[in-house]
Structure formats: structure tokens, C-alpha cells
Amino acid sequence: MAPASRDVTSASSPRRLLVLGICCMSLLIVSLDLTALNVALPSLQRDLHASVPGLQWTLDAYTVVIASLLMLSGSTADRIGRRRVFQTGLVLFTGGSLLCALAPSLGWLVAFRALQAVGGSMLNPVAMSIITNTFTEPRERARAIGVWGGVVGISMAAGPLMGGVLVAAVNWRAIFWLNIPVGLAALLLTALFVPESRAPHPRRLDPGGQLLVMAVLGSLTFAIIEGRNAGWTSPLILSCFAASVCAAAVLPAYERRRIEPLVEFRFFRSIPFSGATVTAVTSFAALAGFLFLSTLHLQNDLGLSAFQAGLYLLPMAAMTAVFAPLSGHLVAIRGARLPLLLAGVFMTASGVLFALLDAEGHRVLLITSYVLFGIGFGLVNAPITNAAVSGMPSARSGLAASIASTSRQIGSALGVAVIGAAVAAGSHATGWWIFTGCGVAVLLLALLTTGTRARATAERVASCLPESTATDCPATPT
């Protein structure tokens, strides 16, 4: 195995690019699954007789489970082997896709989406850890992350259109059938070309922290989605909100007592890392809400087919595909500040067109707002990931990447839950105002978390991790 590792990390070896391509395949099937399924929601709604909350659960069953398990998957991969966990994730994701394609009812679909998410939690953060351990030079790593971000754009560009084609030609089940050959190909290529790697110091399991994370996300999402039907002041919903708040309050205190916690709260002393985490939540909440609102509007309100809705969304997705790798290049030469500022400006401008100028009622404004959001979202992903892993020791790259990926999934779950609740209440306008607020938050975070003083906090955090030899750090638990 050692020769393979040297070959991959050699600057002149094309095998590193092959490893990057294999890792991007995992991102492609996960992202395609999400974007294509959004276009298929109206078809799925008719076929399975689903309500708006039912549609929310088909999306959030995946995102909540994957967000709950991402950090566990990342730290487990650092411990027992990244390739091994990555392969396990491919098996579970591909098998879950098969079951989703065969689901006889909405309840079974939601359950199989949760199983699919268990596998998905082992793919993207572990793949990012493989990439950061393969591309060790900062500029090369930034470019590789830019390619990674570009795959998000490609999947967004292909996802809505492909979803529309598949729904029109077959039905929504074909979206899950598509994952199977890609997943099997990625599994074979991983076995042949991806070397095994693990952290020098394996981390211990943290079942208590894992349960607390699941309690925070699961109870909060359930309360938001089911609040309107059950009643916002009903004992069930109030209990769920209370459970989420209590678990969120207990989690930091519990994790600080652990020698090797599931959630490394010391990372959050780094202002760039904290800013990247919150930016991931807000930007992906905006994406999830945008796709949810747009898909229902295009098909239910305008009467378009799934294929036509995919064509309408294509300008947005194409802009993401173009600007995601450009963002990676900007991060490599200018740092994270410029692409994040531009992302905030474009996302906010898109929201203003919807919230103030009623872009949904004017085709030119609608397409313009789609283009603006595509540019903004394309610029935001690379600096988020770069901020999460830059400066962290390679032994912590899996955990750091997992926290960043978890933040994305939390944002997606909250975006569907909160904006979906606004749709269920009959208020598209409220949903677009929430979307606009997310863009403003990205802009403010870019201003506050990417300056010289902020970067200094990242350096102090990195020097105080156990892998560092620094002696002027606060004491850690024993």
C-alpha cells in the first residue's frame, strides 16, 4: 500500500487526478439525486398522493440523517481507513437507491431515503478528506477543491434537466435507477486506484455526542415540518422544540469533557472556520429553499412539465457550473474574501428580485434572478470548504471536512423545513424574504470573518490542537 500512496502524492503522477475524479463521482451521484428529485416533486406528489409536508420529508429524511452522521463518518474514516469507509458508503448509497426506486408508498420512500443517507454520509466528507490528503500543496488543494465545487455546478446543471427528461420519459423512480450504474462504477474504480489512508492518531468513538447531535437536528426538523399540522402550541411540537434546545445546550458542555469529541468545538475558536460553517448553513438553506419554491411554482402554478421546469432552471445551474471552478481559482490566488463577498451580493440581488419585484410573475425577471443566484451559489462553495480544512493538521482533515459538510446538510434541511412551512401556510412571499435574508447573511459573514484578525485566530487554533507542539494553549481534558 505504501508505494501506491507515494504514487498518488507525487506531484508528477496523473493518478492524483484519477483519485480526484473518483471522489467527484461520489459527489455527482449525491448532488444529482438531490437536484433531480426536486424537479420530480410534483410528479411524486401526484403518484404517491403526498402532501407538502410529505414532500418535505422525502428531502429532509435524507438531509437530517446525513447531517447527523457526517461527523461520525469522517472521524471513523480517519480511524479505520478512508477508502474502507468510502467503499461502504458507496454500497449503502447504491443499495438505498435501488430500494427507493422500488418504494411502494411514501412511507417506504422516506424510510429508504434515510438508508440511502447513511451511505451518503460516508461519501462526500470522506472523499474530501481523501482529496486533502492527496493534494497537500495549498494552491493545488484550492484548485482541486475548485474542481470539487465545479462538480456541484455540473450536477445542478444536469440535475434539473436530467430529472425532467427522466420523469417525462419514465417517471420519478428513474432518478434513483440512474444512481446504480454510477455507484457501481465508482465502487470498482475505488478498489483499483484509491489508496488506503488513515489518521496517525485514531479517534475514539463518541456515542453520547452522536445521540445529542441526532436529537438536535431530528427534533428541530420534525417540529418545523409538522408544526402547522399538529399546531405550533401543541404539546408534541413544544416538546420537540424543547428537546432540540436542551440537546443543543448540553452538547458543547458534554463534548468539552471528551478527550476526542465527535464535534471539536475548539475549531470554532477560529473565526474563518466558524464563519464558513454559518455561511454553509445559510447558503445551502437558500439553495434548498430556492429549488423547493421554484419547482412548485414552475409546475404547479405555471403548469409546466418537469422537462420544461428543468429548462427554466438550467440558466441558474449553468452559472453555478461556470463560477464554481472560477471561485476555486480566486481562492487559490486571492483568498476566500472576494468570492464570498461576490456570492453574498449576487444571492441577495436574486432574492430582492423575488421578494420586492415579484420575479415569479415576470419571465424576464425570473430568468435574471435564476442567473444571479447561480452565480452567487457557484462562488460560495469553494471558499467554505477551503476555510474548513486550511490550516488544520492532516490528521483532523476528515473531521474538519465533515463539520463543513454537516453544515451544508443542516442548511438544506432547515431551508426545506422553514421555507416549506411558509409554502404550506400559503405564503410564497415569506419564503422569498427568508431566501433574501440568507443572501444578506452570506454577505455580512464575508465581511466579518475573512479579515487579517480573523485569519490570526485560525492560526492560533491550529497551533493549539494536540498535533501541535505549542505550549501556550489552554489545558485540554484528561
Side-chain angles (χ1 to χ4, degrees):
M1 190 63 64
S5 297
R6 286 194 297 270
D7 185 38
V8 170
T9 56
S10 170
S12 60
S13 174
R15 188 167 181 174
R16 292 186 313 157
L17 299 179
L18 182 59
V19 171
L20 175 61
I22 295 168
C23 291
C24 286
M25 287 179 70
S26 72
L27 176 63
L28 184 65
I29 58 176
V30 173
S31 299
L32 273 176
D33 188 75
L34 288 173
T35 55
L37 188 60
N38 268 279
V39 176
L41 286 178
S43 172
L44 189 153
Q45 183 179 32
R46 292 188 297 270
D47 190 18
L48 300 182
H49 310 289
S51 63
V52 171
L55 296 180
Q56 289 173 273
W57 278 121
T58 62
L59 300 176
D60 273 356
Y62 181 87
T63 51
V64 169
V65 172
I66 201 172
S68 299
L69 298 179
L70 276 170
M71 286 179 286
L72 175 63
S73 296
S75 58
T76 301
D78 285 343
R79 179 182 178 84
I80 69 173
R82 295 173 180 121
R83 183 178 68 175
R84 180 182 299 176
V85 172
F86 188 67
Q87 289 174 307
T88 302
L90 285 169
V91 171
L92 290 176
F93 186 87
T94 304
S97 297
L98 174 62
L99 293 173
C100 287
L102 300 173
S105 66
L106 181 66
W108 281 110
L109 177 61
V110 170
F112 294 148
R113 287 280 286 166
L115 175 62
Q116 191 185 33
V118 176
S121 73
M122 302 178 187
L123 296 182
N124 290 356
V126 179
M128 178 53 64
S129 182
I130 293 172
I131 290 172
T132 57
N133 279 272
T134 300
F135 296 85
T136 55
E137 197 275 322
R139 287 198 174 188
E140 286 188 342
R141 176 182 291 178
R143 291 190 181 96
I145 291 173
V147 173
W148 175 265
V151 173
V152 175
I154 292 171
S155 68
M156 288 184 63
L161 186 58
M162 186 176 297
V165 170
L166 291 172
V167 171
V170 188
N171 54 35
W172 58 269
R173 298 176 189 274
I175 293 171
F176 296 107
W177 286 115
L178 183 66
N179 293 333
I180 297 172
V182 180
L184 292 175
L187 186 63
L188 175 62
L189 291 172
T190 299
L192 292 175
F193 298 109
V194 175
E196 184 61 280
S197 64
R198 54 177 59 86
H201 176 66
R203 297 175 60 80
R204 303 176 187 179
L205 295 178
D206 181 11
Q210 181 62 59
L211 290 174
L212 286 170
V213 169
M214 294 174 71
V216 172
L217 299 179
S219 56
L220 177 61
T221 304
F222 181 89
I224 293 174
I225 291 178
E226 299 295 337
R228 183 172 178 271
N229 288 336
W232 294 107
T233 59
S234 68
L236 174 62
I237 299 303
L238 291 178
S239 296
C240 287
F241 278 125
S244 181
V245 171
C246 290
V250 170
L251 181 62
Y254 174 84
E255 293 293 76
R256 289 190 185 103
R257 296 174 63 87
R258 302 279 301 180
I259 297 175
E260 294 177 336
L262 175 71
V263 184
E264 181 59 88
F265 279 93
R266 281 177 293 186
F267 288 176
F268 292 94
R269 296 174 188 169
S270 163
I271 293 177
F273 183 88
S274 296
T277 300
V278 181
T279 300
V281 172
T282 54
S283 59
F284 276 76
L287 172 65
F290 171 86
L291 290 174
F292 195 82
L293 284 171
S294 296
T295 298
L296 294 181
H297 170 69
L298 291 172
Q299 296 187 57
N300 290 352
D301 297 338
L302 298 185
L304 302 179
S305 67
F307 177 71
Q308 290 170 324
L311 289 177
Y312 262 78
L313 291 171
L314 191 57
M316 176 273 295
M319 290 299 99
T320 300
V322 169
F323 281 86
L326 175 61
S327 178
H329 180 69
L330 287 175
V331 171
I333 62 175
R334 295 286 300 273
R337 188 179 184 87
L338 179 59
L340 281 177
L341 285 172
L342 292 173
V345 169
F346 282 106
M347 291 172 70
T348 301
S350 175
V352 168
L353 289 181
F354 281 114
L356 283 181
L357 301 180
D358 187 28
E360 285 185 315
H362 303 83
R363 299 297 173 92
V364 174
L365 287 180
L366 184 67
I367 299 301
T368 301
S369 62
Y370 285 177
V371 168
L372 291 174
F373 178 72
I375 295 173
F377 187 76
L379 290 167
V380 81
N381 205 35
I384 288 173
T385 305
N386 188 265
V389 300
S390 292
M392 297 296 174
S394 60
R396 298 299 184 93
S397 62
L399 181 59
S402 297
I403 294 175
S405 296
T406 298
S407 302
R408 292 181 176 92
Q409 298 299 330
I410 291 173
S412 296
L414 291 179
V416 172
V418 174
I419 294 179
V423 172
S427 178
H428 269 241
T430 301
W432 287 122
W433 277 114
I434 296 171
F435 171 79
T436 305
C438 290
V440 173
V442 171
L443 179 59
L444 292 177
L445 287 165
L447 291 170
L448 297 174
T449 65
T450 58
T452 303
R453 291 184 179 180
R455 289 194 296 271
T457 66
E459 294 171 359
R460 286 197 296 272
V461 168
S463 69
C464 289
L465 291 173
E467 291 80 4
S468 171
T469 57
T471 59
D472 58 341
C473 300
T476 56
T478 58

